Amino acid sequence: MASNLGRAGMDGELARLASVDLNLLVPLLALLEERSVTNAASKIGLSQPAMSHALTRMRRMLSDELLVRQGRSMVLTPRAAELLPALRQTLRQTARLVNAAPFDPATDDRLITVAMTNSTAFVIGSTITRLLAERAPNTVLRLRTTSSATIAAFAEDAADVILLPETFATPYPRERLYDDRWVVVTSWDSPREADALELLETVPHVVLDASPERLRPYEILDERKVPYTVRQRVSDYLFIPHLIAQAGGVAVHRYQVGLAFEGRFDLRMEEFPFPIQTLGIDMVWNPWLAEDPFKDWLRGILLEAAVPLQARYGPPVPDDRGDAGFSED
């Protein structure tokens, strides 16, 4: 009985799909990506009147405006924004099904999009680039870097995978790529005899241009009533070690970033003086990415890129939740 009910449901879905003009899906994707009738028409080789007519039919079919004018620009409706990532992946999978070519990294020529924060790209981006160039020389890697990677990259940037700091929430499954921890970063001009706590108390801080209380280390400093002075705020988190090396100051930062900068500038790193929550960088895969051979292969590339980071990570530090662990931004 359950099998018959399942088959009946499937037949009903297919019957409804048969009443839809699937030829509209390709122009629909072009419109949602380009957000312009003229550009979408040019992208897939239709005339502008034909694309305008297709848009009218799509609006009727989906009972939604899809594109609406906002000032001098066209923006997606919430329904269109929800459709975009699933539609993009569905049509990609359909194209590969029609082509019927198995995934082969030696010959594949797809665009691979990996989204991450600027700091994560600084730590692991070059290794990912090198491995992909060696293993899949015909592919094009697009690194989408932002100051704050979010799952919106699935829809807006067509990301295959996001390397997401553990502190960022996501409704999708995640897998640890590499670990990191908070450290105290200062210049070699700071007092040599001062330990990490003394540096935090006496040397002016350089912080991200957001309330420092948003960062767990500063929450801990405030909970323990540690005095500190903020001297400078910057908008790019990755710029902080460079600024400290050149102009002095102290900051709390990611160990892996500090280690990478340490070889370029005169920086001194000390462990954060208090137990702090375990954190790390996770892989979060596009939920519409269903091509398992490609996904498994790319996952292997990312894990291989992270091996040197794990090797140089060092011993775990105490966790402010009572466990031993690692921390990161």
Side-chain angles (χ1 to χ4, degrees), residues 30-324:
L31 278 165
L32 298 188
E33 289 185 331
E34 298 297 325
R35 305 181 191 188
S36 161
V37 171
T38 301
N39 293 346
S42 175
K43 184 175 185 177
I44 63 172
L46 288 181
S47 67
Q48 185 171 342
M51 182 59 78
S52 296
H53 178 62
L55 176 58
T56 299
R57 295 179 61 196
M58 285 182 263
R59 283 169 166 166
R60 187 182 307 121
M61 177 178 72
L62 297 171
S63 302
D64 190 88
E65 285 297 297
L66 300 175
L67 285 171
V68 294
R69 184 163 294 282
Q70 189 175 88
R72 295 197 288 182
S73 303
M74 298 294 287
V75 299
L76 301 183
T77 65
R79 170 69 169 147
E82 180 185 8
L83 284 172
L84 177 56
L87 179 62
R88 180 187 285 129
Q89 291 298 330
T90 298
L91 291 181
R92 283 182 177 178
Q93 293 297 322
T94 302
R96 291 173 188 138
L97 177 65
V98 171
N99 293 333
F103 173 69
D104 181 359
T107 59
D108 198 274
D109 61 356
R110 77 185 66 204
L111 175 68
I112 300 174
T113 302
V114 183
M116 63 191 80
T117 64
N118 295 335
S119 295
T120 303
F122 182 74
V123 169
I124 199 172
S126 59
T127 307
I128 295 172
T129 300
R130 177 179 56 79
L131 290 175
L132 284 176
E134 293 173 355
R135 312 289 172 75
N138 298 312
T139 61
V140 176
L141 173 63
R142 180 172 62 175
L143 291 179
R144 299 295 290 179
T145 58
T146 67
S147 59
S148 179
T150 69
I151 59 174
F154 289 144
E156 297 171 2
D157 301 324
D160 296 300
V161 61
I162 300 174
L163 307 186
L164 197 66
E166 188 182 6
T167 47
F168 288 69
T170 171
Y172 306 120
R174 59 202 305 161
E175 178 185 3
R176 181 57 46 87
L177 179 60
Y178 68 86
D179 296 297
D180 211 335
R181 64 177 181 267
W182 289 110
V183 292
V184 177
V185 178
T186 190
S187 71
W188 278 106
D189 293 334
S190 297
R192 295 293 183 91
E193 68 282 0
D195 61 19
L197 182 56
E198 291 172 323
L199 290 170
L200 291 171
E201 291 176 332
T202 60
V203 179
H205 288 227
V206 182
V207 301
L208 191 65
D209 193 17
S211 173
E213 289 75 21
R214 296 179 60 187
L215 299 178
R216 181 58 183 155
Y218 281 98
E219 292 178 352
I220 292 174
L221 294 181
D222 290 341
E223 289 168 2
R224 293 176 178 264
K225 302 187 185 312
V226 174
Y228 59 87
T229 301
V230 175
R231 181 192 68 192
Q232 193 166 9
R233 298 179 183 272
V234 299
S235 59
D236 190 337
Y237 194 61
L238 194 56
F239 183 55
I240 291 177
H242 176 274
L243 191 63
I244 286 176
Q246 302 296 318
V250 70
V252 285
H253 217 292
R254 288 169 48 184
Y255 168 76
Q256 298 284 7
V257 173
L259 196 62
F261 268 107
E262 196 176 35
R264 295 171 170 82
F265 302 105
D266 291 330
L267 284 176
R268 170 186 166 193
M269 286 195 300
E270 301 285 347
E271 294 295 338
F272 189 73
F274 303 110
I276 193 165
Q277 181 178 346
T278 300
L279 294 170
I281 293 293
D282 296 334
M283 296 178 286
V284 181
W285 293 94
N286 191 317
W288 298 277
L289 184 64
E291 190 182 354
D292 290 337
F294 165 69
K295 180 178 175 181
D296 291 344
W297 174 82
L298 182 56
R299 176 180 176 274
I301 291 290
L302 296 176
L303 289 172
E304 184 176 348
V307 167
L309 303 179
Q310 295 293 73
R312 72 183 188 181
Y313 178 69
V317 294
D319 187 304
D320 64 326
R321 296 170 300 184
D323 305 314

